[in-house]
Amino acid sequence: MTDLLIKSADLVGRGRQDVLVRDGRVAEIGSIAKAGSATVVDADGLVLLPGLVDLHTHLREPGREDAETVHSGTRAAAKGGYTAVCAMANSYPVADTAGVVEQVAALGKAAGYADVQPVGAVSVGLEGRQLAEIGAMARSAAAVRMFSDDGHCVSDPILMRRALEYVKTFGGLIAQHAEEPRLTEGAQMNEGAVSAELGLPGWPAVAEEAIIARDVLLAEYTGARVHFCHVSTARSVDIIREAKARGANVTAEVCPHHLLLTDEAARTYDPVYKVNPPLRREADVAVLRGALAEGVIDAVATDHAPHAPQDKDCEWAAARPGMLGLETALSITVLALGGPAEADWDTIAERTSRTPARIAGLEAHGRDPKPGTEANFTLVDPAATWTVVPGELASLSRNTPYAGMELPVTVQATFLRGRATVLNGKIAEETTE
Ligand code: NCD
């Protein structure tokens, strides 16, 4: 592999530096005049972040390759600045066996755009009745540590308790999709003034909060780790804050769309805004933003949920919930944390890379460059803007709620073990360099 010399990048907290990469690892940082035959990347004016890490990606393979594949989804990840993604288990078949998680990991390796860490299902078929082969998935070549029935809540408390006790034995964790199903039967959007006006059945905030409160108690009782997926309400934040203050072993993520959009969007009846958990109220958005800045919410996770046209271009009630996220997450995070002029890149690196890597146990990711670390980084232009054109996204699907919007910050380059997956803002093989 040829060496790589990144010139004049703004390293978070360390000012402008050159970074020399050899054999996929950082060899030297400082003022480096030349380095033999190294490929030189001019990073003047660009911020170098540790490669982004997504705790929550739906890659749809196996089973729904019409919506996304591991190949297309990881290209979208690379374009968004990601070097690692955690692939959720709600594929067809469900990732509830060693065979399926190994297949997903192998597809990720073959594609080569980002490291793919499969998430194993907690229960067989995500049905919430019987524990999946958690031990076999943990011991498999995919080395699964995080388990989730995402899309479904592990609502049965005894199943949740057993799953927690099990994963604790090998340092694993359960990522909970917090939704008490009895409280959300038939739900179509956030329950509140807007759902009442539109006459759509509501998904009340308490359905999320009740499960988060219960699982905080179960985490404390068992001593096991719980991670809360896509936290969407102000009261959920309160519960997590209190739990952390008591020392409970819990972490939480928020999705970009919950940091920007509200249930007012449902007035359009455009199913692109239908998502689970639903878009909430302005007051929730404000609290989530504050909690992310503060660190009560540990990480941004995309919940990238690609859907084929027939599942989205239909009436609201028939549409599947979910929206694309990988290619817009960094821009939306920057917007939500005060905009590009105010961007605190250290906090952004913490919430989008370092902390999610730590939660998922991905040791080669989420690391600021220093000699010896794997060269997994992204170079972003903090001053640039771009317009979201669905047809130009790398994802196979088109269900982005940001179509036509002008967003701050562009991803100029992404490097996975020193190899460019994105260069000059384009998937590397499409560049002329
Ligand atoms: C997810 C999907 O499409 O897989 N959709 C979503 O709106 N987040 C699963 C889910 O949580 O319903």
Side-chain angles (χ1 to χ4, degrees):
M1 187 193 281
T2 52
D3 297 349
L4 171 73
L5 178 59
I6 301 173
K7 290 287 289 177
S8 300
D10 185 358
L11 264 56
V12 179
R14 295 159 69 184
R16 276 158 66 121
Q17 306 280 350
D18 305 330
V19 180
L20 178 66
V21 174
R22 219 168 245 150
D23 297 325
R25 290 182 183 270
V26 175
E28 198 183 330
I29 300 175
S31 182
I32 307 164
K34 57 176 191 290
S37 60
T39 306
V40 177
V41 172
D42 177 12
D44 194 16
L46 305 182
V47 175
L48 187 150
L49 297 174
L52 274 51
V53 174
D54 192 17
L55 288 168
H56 195 141
T57 312
H58 296 279
L59 290 175
R60 302 295 188 226
E61 192 175 2
R64 283 309 299 264
E65 293 83 353
D66 56 331
E68 198 77 287
T69 62
V70 172
H71 185 265
S72 67
T74 51
R75 284 162 67 94
K79 269 191 100 179
Y82 288 86
T83 53
V85 297
C86 298
M88 277 298 171
N90 64 340
S91 49
Y92 306 91
V94 169
D96 57 5
T97 62
V100 177
V101 292
E102 285 182 347
Q103 180 197 0
V104 171
L107 287 166
K109 271 207 180 76
Y113 292 103
D115 285 347
V116 174
Q117 175 58 58
V119 176
V122 174
S123 70
V124 174
L126 309 175
E127 285 173 355
R129 284 197 276 275
Q130 189 188 336
L131 281 186
E133 295 177 2
I134 289 177
M137 289 188 272
R139 287 189 302 272
S140 76
V144 179
R145 288 289 170 277
M146 183 155 75
F147 295 84
S148 181
D149 273 0
D150 181 68
H152 301 264
C153 182
V154 180
S155 61
D156 178 354
I158 189 66
L159 194 79
M160 187 63 174
R161 174 183 176 177
R162 296 289 176 240
L164 287 169
E165 287 168 340
Y166 199 160
V167 298
K168 189 185 170 198
T169 62
F170 56 85
L173 71 155
I174 303 292
Q176 175 68 292
H177 169 121
E179 174 183 354
E180 167 47 56
R182 294 281 289 150
L183 289 171
T184 61
E185 275 170 27
Q188 292 292 332
M189 65 172 294
N190 178 51
E191 181 166 293
V194 182
S195 67
E197 249 185 79
L198 298 180
L200 287 172
W203 194 133
V206 70
E208 174 174 304
E209 295 148 2
I211 293 291
I212 292 182
R214 180 201 78 178
D215 288 353
V216 161
L217 297 175
L218 282 174
E220 289 177 296
Y221 188 63
T222 59
R225 281 170 72 198
V226 176
H227 174 74
F228 295 112
C229 298
H230 42 53
V231 169
S232 69
T233 83
R235 188 79 183 93
S236 293
V237 169
D238 291 340
I239 298 165
I240 293 164
R241 185 194 303 278
E242 289 159 17
K244 285 185 164 186
R246 284 199 308 274
N249 206 354
V250 299
T251 52
E253 68 187 36
V254 64
C255 302
H257 44 271
H258 291 125
L259 293 169
L260 192 74
L261 307 173
T262 69
D263 59 355
E264 292 290 333
R267 293 185 190 281
T268 63
Y269 290 103
D270 183 342
V272 80
Y273 300 113
K274 181 170 171 179
V275 65
N276 200 15
L279 300 175
R280 304 287 188 188
R281 304 161 310 155
E282 195 65 55
D284 297 296
V285 169
V287 169
L288 291 168
R289 287 181 176 198
L292 182 67
E294 222 185 309
V296 173
I297 302 266
D298 302 83
V300 173
T302 68
D303 197 2
H304 178 80
H307 285 298
Q310 68 270 24
D311 294 322
K312 271 306 207 186
D313 299 345
C314 52
E315 61 172 304
W316 180 284
R320 299 256 177 117
M323 38 180 74
L324 301 184
L326 286 168
E327 294 172 72
T328 47
L330 179 63
S331 294
I332 304 296
T333 302
V334 168
L335 263 185
L337 290 176
E342 306 294 316
D344 167 357
W345 291 104
D346 189 52
T347 299
I348 292 165
E350 197 65 36
R351 306 287 184 267
T352 61
S353 174
R354 299 182 199 128
T355 303
R358 215 159 33 236
I359 290 170
L362 299 173
E363 283 169 16
H365 291 272
R367 298 201 172 258
D368 291 283
K370 63 172 197 230
T373 57
E374 275 192 13
N376 300 319
F377 340 116
T378 183
L379 287 172
V380 307
D381 187 338
T385 60
W386 63 294
T387 300
V388 183
V389 178
E392 290 175 3
L393 296 174
S395 171
L396 277 187
S397 289
R398 297 286 168 256
N399 54 307
T400 173
Y402 311 113
M405 273 178 71
E406 188 179 275
L407 299 180
V409 179
T410 55
V411 171
Q412 286 301 311
T414 307
F415 299 96
L416 181 62
R417 283 178 284 282
R419 189 172 48 78
T421 53
V422 168
L423 208 51
N424 299 325
K426 295 195 162 54
I427 303 280
E429 89 237 347
E430 291 169 6
T431 62
T432 48
E433 291 183 23

